Amino acid sequence: MPAVYEQYLVPVVFRPFAEAMAAKTAALRPRRILELAAGTGALTSHLLATAPAAEVTATDLNEAMVAFGSVRAPGAVWRQADAQRLPFPDGGFDLVVCQFGVMFFPDRVAAFTEVRRALASGGRFLFSTWGPLGTHAFDAALQAGLERAFPADPPRFFPTVPHGYADPAAVVADLTAAGFAVKGEQELTLQGRAASIADLATGYLTGTPVRAAVEARGDSPAVRATVVEEMTARLGPGPVTAPMTAYVFHAAA
């Protein structure tokens, strides 16, 4: 999964936001950065480039992602870690960053509380979440393809997890409950550029957790063909440029 994710999804979906997040990070002039849910290092590599004087520690719950990311972005210290039980001392970092990972935390208030513990007094927490499914052209087209392929019981991973934390008021409430002061909230729409919709569909179907849901329902070439057909009908075969909306939050410990 990490290799497929890196090849087909990172350049289209994640790299544009990683560039923007790294620029925001550099403006804060951090010295010790902790990255959560770093995945294959899409953001990590940009952090190393834009904040070269900072010490970067990158973590992910998935050991396969950590192994892949440590090769892709060797300038960071990589650790397998659960965001709700961080293996770091109190106040060890002046910035925690997380790109599109907080939606996966089972208990977000608990995770945010743990982040605040790991931050020095006045330290900053910078992270992003996806907006509603309909504001992300690629994900919406994928979900439409899954619903066409499985009309009775379509996988609901994308609406409920990546796009399941799309209410900024709820995010702010969770940050406040964890003791953070919210300093900023930005709605950010960037363009994703896919050379091939067929390749992008392959990335989604085999490089994300939706893979297991599809396989449980009867994986077959026909499923991929249906998803590709629906995504192509909505977006074109590629090259295609389409909008993706996220929210970026800035909080202080």
Side-chain angles (χ1 to χ4, degrees), residues 110-154:
F112 292 166
T113 301
E114 184 70 348
V115 167
R116 188 167 62 85
R117 180 192 65 76
L119 281 168
S121 178
R124 301 305 174 102
F125 183 23
L126 191 63
F127 66 94
S128 57
T129 69
W130 289 119
L133 180 64
T135 67
H136 192 302
F138 295 122
D139 288 6
L142 168 76
Q143 185 62 29
L146 291 171
E147 291 174 1
R148 179 175 164 189
F150 301 102
D153 182 26

Side-chain angles (χ1 to χ4, degrees), residues 70-159:
S70 64
V71 174
R72 186 184 188 279
V77 175
W78 283 83
R79 293 278 302 272
Q80 188 276 336
D82 182 342
Q84 293 179 199
R85 290 181 292 275
L86 293 172
F88 304 108
D90 296 359
F93 301 92
D94 52 19
L95 176 66
V96 175
V97 295
C98 184
Q99 175 168 276
F100 303 124
V102 298
M103 305 89 75
F104 293 85
F105 299 163
D107 185 335
R108 296 176 187 118
V109 173
F112 292 166
T113 301
E114 184 70 348
V115 167
R116 188 167 62 85
R117 180 192 65 76
L119 281 168
S121 178
R124 301 305 174 102
F125 183 23
L126 191 63
F127 66 94
S128 57
T129 69
W130 289 119
L133 180 64
T135 67
H136 192 302
F138 295 122
D139 288 6
L142 168 76
Q143 185 62 29
L146 291 171
E147 291 174 1
R148 179 175 164 189
F150 301 102
D153 182 26
R156 299 288 298 165
F157 169 74
F158 277 89

Side-chain angles (χ1 to χ4, degrees), residues 161-179:
V161 182
H163 297 278
Y165 198 38
D167 179 359
V171 179
V172 169
D174 287 346
L175 284 168
T176 302

Side-chain angles (χ1 to χ4, degrees), residues 22-23 25-33 43-57 75-76 95:
T25 297
L28 295 174
R29 302 182 182 277
R31 294 178 296 108
R32 296 161 297 164
I33 302 172
L43 174 59
T44 319
S45 59
H46 287 287
L47 294 175
L48 293 168
T50 58
E55 298 175 359
V56 178
T57 300
L95 176 66

